[in-house]
Amino acid sequence: MRTDDRSPVARHAFGGLMLLALVVLGAGIGLRDPWPPDEPRFALVARQMLERGQWLFPHRGHELYADKPPLLMWCEALMFALTHGWRGAFLLPSLLAGLGTLIVLYRTARRLWDARIGLYAAALLLATFQFVEVVRHAQIDPLLLFCITAGNAGILVHCLRGPDWRAFWLGCFAAGLGVVAKGVGVLALLMLLPYLWARRRGWPVTFAQRRRAAEDHGPAGPQADRVASPGDGWRWAAGALAFLLPILAWLAPMLIAALGSGDAERLAYVHDLLFHQTAERYADSWQHREPAWFFLRVMIVDWLPVSLLIPLLVPRWREDLRRHEARVLLPLAWWMLALVFFSLTPGKRELYILPAVPMVALAIAPHLDALLARRWLQRTAFVLAVLAGTAAVVAGAWAWLKHPHAAQRIAAGYELTDGGRALWWSVIAAGVPFLVAAAWLRPRRGVIALVAGMAAAWVIWPLATYPLLGASQSGRAIMARAEQRVGPDGEIGLVLWREELLLQARRPVAEFGFSRRAEDQLRDALAWQAQAPARRWILIDSDAMGRCVDPARAVSLGVANRNAWWLFDAAAVREACRPAAAGR
């Protein structure tokens, strides 16, 4: 049954879904500071952009930061300028990108099918563990996800529902914006490959062709395709210009400034960003090296519970392809192309495959009604809800009552008192909604019970744990202890530092490079300290203390993010390492 896109029911259903998404994805915003590994880095770079007015050449401390293009940092800086507070600002770009991705997916499925399928597609995405987990962190990937999904959507709508050149140009522009976000936004253009393949095979690609094929009980040939009619060459070329526009808007001023200045540091930044961090990193990655089958595990585990539906859909997708259903072919083919692209590089992270989730949801959505009608699927979802709730409640109660070694280690890592009792109560609280929903909705509505339990747990967990873990995770507690120890007139220098420490500093601090060797940082820090030994202190990671610092005379500040931090004055420096002694 087709749902009218303009009906109040369709509008209210979509509004309810977006309200739920806002609550789930936005829960906890304003309750914590940036957490490692990535959030403090991007927030620090964004803050320094605002402080220094340098938007083309991002800095981490006094070093240029060339690991990623600057789009996310620009967005975070803009959010801070609007909100005047980092706690509210740094997560907003991810939240808006997540909501935007849901809207784009809903509108795309609605254009290709109807509003009901659009709701299904957006709901499937929102129910995917990896989507919620990633969007609730201030990383580049939510922004990249939105750009690639918008790029895919524009191409899909134009090629399958068009001609709609405006949608195509917007899709190309979004793909270019994705390049400014992380470099791989160009992957959205791969959607054109299965489209061209389907056209060459004579599939009924456009809406008009599919309607004629249904009426004539046979495929309409490619000659009926209005998307590629004669004289449209300049329109396709305009798509290439739309793709290049955001890239050139960023790249041209940056290159002009770097080449015009002749500054060696800026020129090295350009080379590192455009070559070392892109092609060289893809071909021979020096981080996160994983086997070729790595993403198979990611898709099975991180895409739960939606990944459980994929094996059930294989026969239906096979039938769709046999019937030349391009609306299913293009999303599935793009998923496979993205999977191959990311599997070929030796460096892999779970986040890389995230942009494929909306396309998978788009291919599942038309068949969701038939799947939900199966009693065994409802019962399976019910069992999953019960198992999830029971596992959380039992694990939390066991950690609270029995204090096993693993629980003690976790509590110590977060510097929690009472053995982490509040954390284990949070685990129990996250599991209870699953059991309540299962008891209320029963097996015949098991899917709703599972989804309701997930939504409640997603809201409870950040509200309970962000205030509890924030001081340790963000480095705020370490910097507060350091500043209290040195007093109001003391100065602090950082050695082998993490971005969260510099971000949390409430006074000017000295730092001696981020990417330099620890011994080089320490040498320069000791020379800096020797210039004013009465008031200068060094905050250092325990791994960098070596033989130069006497731990008996240093002050332990505790552990944050698995790093032990120490503070010492000139009296803790061994004689052989003192700059004055070295100069004699």
Side-chain angles (χ1 to χ4, degrees):
M1 178 178 179
R2 182 182 176 89
T3 304
D4 187 356
D5 294 349
R6 296 177 296 276
S7 71
V9 174
R11 291 197 302 269
H12 292 163
F14 178 64
L17 178 68
M18 292 306 298
L19 179 61
L20 175 64
L22 177 62
V23 172
V24 169
L25 300 178
I29 289 182
L31 296 181
R32 69 173 177 90
D33 298 298
W35 288 359
D38 298 323
E39 291 179 350
R41 180 183 315 130
F42 301 135
L44 176 64
V45 172
R47 190 180 74 179
Q48 291 187 312
M49 283 180 171
L50 284 170
E51 292 173 346
R52 303 176 182 182
Q54 180 54 265
W55 301 94
L56 293 176
F57 299 95
H59 282 76
R60 174 173 53 189
H62 68 257
E63 292 181 354
L64 284 168
Y65 176 69
D67 287 11
K68 295 292 185 293
L71 183 60
L72 175 63
M73 288 74 90
W74 290 343
C75 292
E76 288 194 10
L78 174 61
M79 291 297 104
F80 176 79
L82 295 175
T83 63
H84 303 287
W86 281 113
R87 279 195 170 190
F90 79 99
L91 286 170
L92 287 180
S94 294
L95 172 63
L96 295 176
L99 296 175
T101 302
L102 291 169
I103 293 173
V104 168
L105 183 60
Y106 165 77
R107 290 178 60 86
T108 303
R110 191 188 68 179
R111 290 287 303 274
L112 298 182
W113 283 280
D114 57 35
R116 185 179 184 85
I117 304 303
L119 286 169
Y120 283 162
L124 286 166
L125 179 59
L126 184 59
T128 305
F129 178 87
Q130 188 183 49
F131 172 76
V132 178
E133 175 65 17
V134 172
V135 168
R136 290 189 4 180
H137 289 81
Q139 298 169 304
I140 292 177
D141 297 273
L143 202 59
L144 177 68
L145 173 68
F146 170 75
C147 292
I148 290 183
T149 303
N152 284 337
I155 296 173
L156 284 170
V157 169
H158 171 64
C159 293
L160 302 181
R161 180 74 185 187
D164 190 334
W165 291 105
R166 185 176 66 173
F168 175 68
W169 296 330
L170 287 174
C172 293
F173 181 86
L177 204 61
V179 173
V180 185
K182 201 175 181 179
V184 294
V186 66
L187 290 180
L189 302 183
L190 292 179
M191 189 66 75
L192 291 170
L193 295 181
Y195 163 71
L196 292 174
W197 182 89
R199 275 178 42 83
R200 289 181 63 88
R201 297 296 296 269
W203 285 32
V205 177
T206 65
F207 178 76
Q209 285 182 333
R210 290 193 300 273
R211 183 175 58 189
R212 284 193 292 270
E215 293 172 352
D216 300 338
H217 305 287
Q223 69 277 4
D225 190 354
R226 292 179 57 231
V227 175
S229 60
D232 284 339
W234 70 270
R235 293 188 174 94
W236 290 103
L241 294 177
F243 171 74
L244 293 174
L245 181 61
I247 301 174
L248 294 177
W250 156 62
L251 202 57
M254 188 262 288
L255 289 176
I256 292 172
L259 296 175
S261 68
D263 182 75
E265 187 180 15
R266 289 188 173 184
L267 293 174
Y269 166 84
V270 170
H271 179 272
D272 193 16
L273 179 64
L274 299 185
F275 299 100
H276 184 60
Q277 294 291 341
T278 52
E280 294 178 20
R281 186 167 187 169
Y282 179 84
D284 188 18
S285 179
W286 54 91
Q287 289 181 319
H288 312 293
R289 299 180 73 91
E290 299 289 350
W293 46 263
F294 173 74
F295 289 113
L296 297 179
R297 180 193 63 80
V298 173
M299 291 185 294
I300 293 172
V301 177
D302 292 2
W303 290 7
L304 285 170
V306 174
S307 60
L308 299 177
L309 300 177
I310 293 177
L312 307 177
L313 268 298
V314 171
R316 295 179 181 273
W317 286 337
R318 186 184 300 116
E319 179 62 22
D320 286 337
L321 299 182
R322 190 188 66 80
R323 293 187 295 105
H324 295 174
E325 179 54 84
R327 293 175 295 181
V328 172
L329 168 69
L330 267 62
L332 289 180
W334 190 90
W335 171 25
M336 293 297 104
L337 290 171
L339 178 61
V340 170
F341 176 85
F342 288 120
S343 296
L344 288 176
T345 177
K348 302 174 182 68
R349 294 183 66 189
E350 292 86 348
L351 299 167
Y352 293 173
I353 200 64
L354 176 64
V357 179
M359 296 301 100
V360 175
L362 193 63
I364 294 176
H367 301 290
L368 195 57
D369 266 331
L371 292 177
L372 294 177
R374 296 185 175 185
R375 295 177 61 185
W376 67 265
L377 180 63
Q378 296 288 348
R379 291 175 178 175
T380 301
F382 174 82
V383 171
L384 289 175
V386 172
L387 290 176
T390 302
V393 170
V394 170
W398 180 56
W400 173 47
L401 296 173
K402 298 298 183 179
H403 308 291
H405 179 69
Q408 295 178 33
R409 187 173 65 251
I410 293 173
Y414 290 126
E415 296 189 304
L416 298 175
T417 58
D418 299 328
R421 177 176 298 182
L423 179 61
W424 312 132
W425 272 112
S426 301
V427 174
I428 295 171
V432 168
F434 287 97
L435 300 178
V436 173
W440 180 30
L441 295 167
R442 305 298 178 87
R444 62 189 181 90
R445 289 181 289 182
V447 170
I448 298 178
L450 178 61
V451 171
M454 291 172 56
W458 276 119
V459 174
I460 290 172
W461 183 253
L463 296 180
T465 60
Y466 283 3
L468 182 65
L469 308 179
S472 173
Q473 285 285 85
S474 67
R476 187 175 73 248
I478 296 294
M479 285 306 299
R481 292 170 196 154
E483 293 180 351
Q484 182 180 17
R485 182 67 179 82
V486 305
D489 298 324
E491 300 178 30
I492 299 176
L494 301 177
V495 172
L496 199 60
W497 51 281
R498 300 283 297 266
E499 294 95 340
E500 58 267 25
L501 297 182
L502 187 56
L503 183 66
Q504 291 294 337
R506 294 299 176 259
R507 67 179 76 187
V509 299
E511 48 91 9
F512 310 95
F514 183 87
S515 57
R516 299 175 66 205
R517 297 188 309 165
E519 51 266 34
D520 294 336
Q521 293 185 44
L522 181 58
R523 183 191 65 244
D524 291 351
L526 293 177
W528 167 82
Q529 187 181 58
Q531 296 172 5
R535 68 173 186 272
R536 288 184 173 176
W537 297 69
I538 296 175
L539 176 57
I540 187 171
D541 188 317
S542 61
D543 292 340
M545 291 177 66
R547 292 176 294 179
C548 284
V549 183
D550 183 0
R553 295 188 177 187
V555 179
S556 174
L557 296 181
V559 176
N561 301 303
R562 298 183 299 276
N563 296 96
W565 297 97
W566 293 74
L567 184 72
F568 66 91
D569 61 4
V573 181
R574 300 188 194 277
E575 185 69 23
C577 296
R578 294 181 180 178
R584 286 198 296 265

